[in-house]
Amino acid sequence: MSTSTTSIRRARPTDADRLSDVFDETWREAYRGIIPGVSLERMIARRSAQWWLGAAQRRRPLVVVETREGVVGYAVYGQARGRGLGTAGEIDELYILPEHQGLGLGRRLFRAVRNDMMDHGLHTLGVWALAGNDRAEAFYLGLGATIVGDASDSIAGSVLPKVGYRFA
């Protein structure tokens, strides 16, 4: 497996099938045991290739990290969707396929997203992660985040606690 990144770029409609696969694999790996099984399966089922086709055409930025092996991760981000994080910008989702984690691709993707937000005047950045997602917590704290609070989120019929992280 190569660690050289071919590109970090805006998602294209032609990425929809691959994004659906990446979502499926990353969410199963990240949330098994955190999101109840039925709710997790409902969420994964909602994110079909058709859903990703629409997401690639929306105004909220969706970028992919692509290696020689194809799309191996993605991020969705933009202006903060609420006031809970106390930030101007927010990363909605940032995922790298499990077999590509630990190679620096997530850090590269995070830096690219952060730089894009800074270029658009969003100088403070936040992200929510589900409580119990130890890998996400280690990743964000390792990037210099501070924990700024907690809340809950409704995901496919389950109400789950989440933790807020902020980057100055």
Side-chain angles (χ1 to χ4, degrees), residues 84-86 127-129 131 146-152 161-166:
L85 293 168
V127 63
W128 291 102
T146 56
I147 296 174
V148 294
D150 54 29
S152 61
K162 62 183 180 178
V163 179
Y165 299 89
R166 182 172 34 213

Side-chain angles (χ1 to χ4, degrees), residues 151-162:
S152 61
D153 207 354
S154 179
I155 298 178
S158 292
V159 177
L160 303 167
K162 62 183 180 178

Side-chain angles (χ1 to χ4, degrees), residues 4 12-13 17-18 22 33-34 44 55-56 70 78-79 87 91 94 106 120 123 125 136 141 150 157 162 167:
S4 64
R12 302 176 191 127
D17 285 330
R18 186 64 183 140
V22 170
I34 296 174
I44 290 170
Q79 288 186 324
T87 60
I91 296 175
L94 190 150
H120 288 89
H123 297 288
L125 164 65
L141 292 176
D150 54 29
K162 62 183 180 178
F167 301 84

Side-chain angles (χ1 to χ4, degrees), residues 64-112:
V64 298
V65 58
E66 183 177 43
T67 68
R68 291 182 194 133
E69 299 170 36
V71 172
V72 299
Y74 72 92
V76 181
Y77 61 97
Q79 288 186 324
R81 297 172 293 175
R83 294 185 214 162
L85 293 168
T87 60
E90 180 178 355
I91 296 175
D92 308 346
E93 298 182 27
L94 190 150
Y95 293 96
I96 301 291
L97 284 172
E99 63 269 20
H100 289 38
Q101 293 174 9
L103 303 175
L105 297 175
R107 287 181 179 273
R108 291 181 199 174
L109 181 57
F110 177 86
R111 281 194 303 268

